[in-house]
Amino acid sequence: MEDKSHTVGTFQVGDYAVFAALFVVSSGIGVFFAIKERKKASSKEFLVGGRQMSCGPVALSLTASFMSAVTVIGAPSDVYRYGASYVIFGVAYTFVVFLTAELFLPVFYRSGITSTYEYLELRFCKLVRVAATLIYIIQTILYTGVVVYAPALALNQVTGFDLWGSIFATGIVCTFYCTLGGLKAVVWTDAFQMVVMVVGFLTVLIQGASRAGGIESVWSTAHTGGRMDVFDFDVNPLRRHTFWTLSVGGTFTWLGIYGVNQSTIQRCISCKTEGHARWALYLNLLGLWIILFCAVVSGLIMYTFYSRCDPWSAGSVSAPDQLMPYFVMEILGAFPGLPGLFVACAFSGTLSTVAASINALATVTYEDFVSQCYRDLSNRAANWISKALCVVFGVACTTMAVAASYMGGIVQAALSIHGMCGGPMLGLFSLGILFPVTNLKGAVGGLIVGITLSFWVGVGAFIYPAPSNNTRPLELSTAGCNFNLTADGSNQTSVSVSNGNSIKVITDEYWLADSWYSMSYLYYSAVGFIGTVAAGLLITLLTGESNISLAHTDSNKTLRVIDCLTLKRTLVSLKGQCIQQKLMRTVISNKVILKGSYIHLFIHK
């Protein structure tokens, strides 16, 4: 590898122009849809695009939203430090998309609901709906804070721009086009930003591989450095990344994000047909694989380039999450405009994620709170309230980014948030959809238990970080540096050793830190899910089954929503099958959902 210096280039006029173009085009899309849809002033048009979207842009939007700057910046850094096992997330993505498309999507799409949490009121009661909505709001604001902070950190590293000024600029632009154009602007802007992300990654891959000596050199160096040891089948749940934590734990984590998350489901139900929605999910899977591949290969190229002079150990960067932007400035600094393209790539991920979050937060707040309190709002009033909610949540998400600076590595922080909140939510919806016997007490009790368990392990792990024998970062070298290590660099090594010793003292005193708190962050969601489902079913067993009636039928294998006034006619058509008389009571919201070979009647006790 070539000699490394401790200085890198800075932004030039061309970089600023490329970077500014991203904001101009994104804002322009919002203005375009604000003008185009100005005569369709309704909350339905604003929040779900009139349910007329096609699968292509929705697929790109889904990929861009969840492959955010956390992936663009954090994933290559993770591969650089821990190896290419990160690619096993591709297995988890496959399971997640299949389960979402075939299990959860039909329930939400065919019910005609706008907020996913409306299902919980139909299935259980309004209290469960409100509780789930509040958890989602908190979870999304926390997560969005992380993904706003990540690219702002990148921009600060490569340009010297004020960190918090960058954060507020991001929030303002995002809120602007989201508030003006609604979901259609969000989806089409995401599609544009997805293209920017791929082009940015490809630029880094091509130039990085060239500077690192070619693909063969990358493969050889990564293999020698232990970065190609992908498949580790150790079943120990305390290990940070193994095949099982990434595939099984990753499935639970991302299923909480995809299967029952308002941001995902909202864009799926905006599609013109259920077929379009399902195709959007499967096309999105292809996008997830592409971005994952680019991120992993970028990490391997970066390791090859710095294999003899790690900038983090040398003190050239102060945190691992700064490695990718530092690397980009070093390999692309001589090409005006290309560093700006990469930073635009990172910001594309953030803008898409924040805009989707803002739109989803506005939707659940309007549907689950505002529309329930004020049922006679005009279309114009509802539309303006929806826009105002976008502004409110834009400010909240942007402000939350300040706290993200104290959350450690951005990938782990982001997925930990989703795991702690997403697991219990996944468990709650699974109780309603997969376990018809679950009653209201079981749902509430299960949710409380799941939230308690997942936050117990998540917060505990934050206070007592896992020892290095569980995280197993790979070796980094400064033997080839042609400059003296900075004081920060030499101190960094001693801090790492010191932290390991202090953790050892703590774990000797508190056994929880050696076991429970050392669990892989990818299992937080599984803990929440299992706790919710197990406690929900146990409480149901102790308190009596749900008052959901089940009538077997072989004549209808579809899932659809019908008005309860046609219930009698429907039951007669079931060719002699009967329904339990004691369960024939008041039907909530006049809805009956036919699922597979069962009828689910949502009723009060």
Side-chain angles (χ1 to χ4, degrees):
M1 298 300 100
E2 59 189 81
D3 290 338
K4 307 297 183 297
S5 171
H6 64 285
T7 59
V8 296
T10 58
F11 257 29
Q12 306 298 322
V13 174
D15 300 316
Y16 287 106
V18 172
F19 179 65
L22 170 69
F23 286 86
V24 172
V25 174
S26 298
S27 299
I29 293 174
V31 172
F32 171 78
F33 279 102
I35 297 173
K36 182 175 181 292
E37 307 293 334
R38 64 186 183 279
K39 295 182 180 180
K40 301 178 181 179
S42 69
S43 60
K44 179 180 179 181
E45 186 70 30
F46 183 81
L47 297 174
V48 292
R51 300 182 189 270
Q52 291 299 313
M53 302 299 295
S54 57
C55 61
V58 172
L60 291 173
S61 176
L62 288 171
T63 304
S65 295
F66 291 103
M67 292 289 102
S68 63
V70 171
T71 302
V72 175
I73 297 174
S77 172
D78 196 281
V79 174
Y80 179 89
R81 297 176 64 203
Y82 298 100
S85 60
Y86 196 92
V87 76
I88 298 175
F89 267 125
V91 176
Y93 295 159
T94 305
F95 286 125
V96 165
V97 169
F98 176 78
L99 290 173
T100 300
E102 305 302 331
L103 178 61
F104 293 105
L105 174 64
V107 175
F108 296 124
Y109 193 94
R110 299 177 196 181
S111 66
I113 60 180
T114 301
S115 167
T116 56
Y117 307 105
E118 183 180 349
Y119 169 83
L120 296 176
E121 180 177 353
L122 298 175
R123 178 62 175 83
F124 299 113
C125 73
K126 189 170 185 177
L127 173 64
V128 177
R129 175 182 182 178
V130 171
T133 302
L134 291 174
I135 291 171
Y136 172 76
I137 291 174
I138 295 171
Q139 167 195 1
T140 304
I141 291 176
L142 288 173
Y143 175 74
T144 307
V146 174
V147 298
V148 169
Y149 172 73
L153 173 65
L155 191 61
N156 174 260
Q157 169 68 23
V158 299
T159 69
F161 272 11
D162 179 76
L163 181 63
W164 308 120
S166 303
I167 288 174
F168 291 126
T170 303
I172 289 170
V173 171
C174 247
T175 305
F176 174 76
Y177 74 76
C178 183
T179 303
L180 283 182
L183 183 69
K184 285 186 177 180
V186 171
V187 168
W188 281 105
T189 306
D190 288 352
F192 161 70
Q193 291 162 356
M194 177 64 185
V195 174
V196 174
M197 289 175 67
V198 173
V199 172
F201 258 134
L202 289 177
T203 303
V204 174
L205 291 176
I206 293 171
Q207 179 62 12
S210 175
R211 291 286 299 274
I215 296 298
E216 290 186 4
S217 175
V218 171
W219 179 274
S220 175
T221 305
H223 186 273
T224 302
R227 266 65 184 178
M228 300 305 295
D229 296 333
V230 174
F231 297 102
D232 181 353
F233 292 98
D234 188 350
V235 296
N236 183 0
L238 306 185
R239 291 281 308 282
R240 181 177 184 270
H241 280 178
T242 66
F243 177 84
W244 304 112
T245 57
L246 290 164
S247 59
V248 178
T251 296
F252 279 104
T253 299
W254 284 93
L255 192 57
I257 298 173
Y258 265 75
V260 298
N261 185 285
Q262 173 67 25
S263 182
T264 302
I265 298 301
Q266 182 175 339
R267 275 170 287 182
C268 289
I269 63 178
S270 73
C271 291
K272 60 181 69 175
T273 66
E274 185 182 335
H276 271 269
R278 185 176 283 107
W279 269 109
L281 284 167
Y282 284 121
L283 290 174
N284 152 74
L285 176 59
L286 179 61
L288 294 178
W289 284 341
I290 292 173
I291 296 296
L292 177 64
F293 174 80
C294 290
V296 171
V297 176
S298 294
L300 295 176
I301 291 174
M302 182 165 60
Y303 170 73
T304 302
F305 189 77
Y306 290 127
S307 60
R308 290 180 51 78
C309 184
D310 169 44
W312 183 38
S313 301
S316 298
V317 296
S318 58
D321 297 325
Q322 296 177 356
L323 286 167
M324 188 63 176
Y326 183 89
F327 172 62
V328 167
M329 288 307 301
E330 186 156 356
I331 66 171
L332 298 178
F335 303 92
L338 292 188
L341 178 62
F342 169 76
V343 176
C345 168
F347 266 83
S348 292
T350 287
L351 292 174
S352 61
T353 301
V354 175
S357 297
I358 291 172
N359 190 262
L361 287 167
T363 300
V364 296
T365 303
Y366 178 81
E367 291 291 331
D368 296 337
F369 297 114
V370 177
S371 66
Q372 300 298 306
C373 298
Y374 305 97
R375 297 182 179 274
D376 298 324
L377 289 172
S378 65
N379 283 336
R380 183 177 180 83
N383 190 42
W384 279 106
I385 290 174
S386 299
K387 290 178 182 290
L389 288 172
C390 284
V391 174
V392 169
F393 284 115
V395 173
C397 292
T398 304
T399 306
M400 185 63 214
V402 177
S405 61
Y406 303 101
M407 299 184 69
I410 57 176
V411 170
Q412 184 163 332
L415 294 182
S416 295
I417 292 170
H418 271 309
M420 288 186 289
C421 297
M425 295 300 297
L426 177 63
L428 180 62
F429 277 97
S430 297
L431 282 173
I433 295 172
L434 302 178
F435 301 97
V437 298
T438 307
N439 61 20
L440 172 59
K441 295 177 181 178
V444 174
L447 180 61
I448 293 174
V449 171
I451 287 288
T452 301
L453 288 175
S454 59
F455 269 81
W456 179 18
V457 64
V459 174
F462 181 79
I463 298 173
Y464 303 111
S468 59
N469 63 307
N470 288 334
T471 58
R472 299 192 183 182
L474 299 174
E475 183 180 353
L476 300 170
S477 173
T478 57
C481 295
N482 62 355
F483 57 89
N484 293 328
L485 297 183
T486 65
D488 289 340
S490 58
N491 287 343
Q492 184 172 328
T493 303
S494 63
V495 167
S496 176
V497 175
S498 174
N499 285 343
N501 292 336
S502 63
I503 292 173
K504 180 62 179 175
V505 173
I506 293 173
T507 55
D508 286 343
E509 184 176 357
Y510 301 101
W511 64 269
L512 282 174
D514 266 339
S515 53
W516 183 245
Y517 298 152
S518 294
M519 181 184 301
S520 171
Y521 69 98
L522 290 172
Y523 281 137
Y524 297 168
S525 184
V527 168
F529 172 84
I530 294 172
T532 300
V533 171
L537 293 177
L538 179 60
I539 294 173
T540 295
L541 180 64
L542 296 176
T543 59
E545 292 185 1
S546 168
N547 53 352
I548 295 179
S549 59
L550 302 177
H552 187 74
T553 173
D554 295 323
S555 61
N556 193 328
K557 296 298 183 182
T558 64
L559 184 155
R560 58 191 177 87
V561 177
I562 62 175
D563 190 276
C564 75
L565 295 178
T566 64
L567 173 61
K568 183 175 180 180
R569 184 184 309 166
T570 302
L571 294 177
V572 170
S573 71
L574 297 181
K575 297 181 179 180
Q577 302 296 331
C578 65
I579 191 167
Q580 299 177 28
Q581 294 298 320
K582 66 177 182 178
L583 299 175
M584 290 294 293
R585 304 177 187 173
T586 307
V587 179
I588 294 182
S589 300
N590 296 332
K591 288 183 179 179
V592 180
I593 293 185
L594 300 180
K595 181 190 175 197
S597 59
Y598 295 97
I599 298 177
H600 284 202
L601 301 184
F602 300 119
I603 61 181
H604 287 301
K605 281 189 174 181

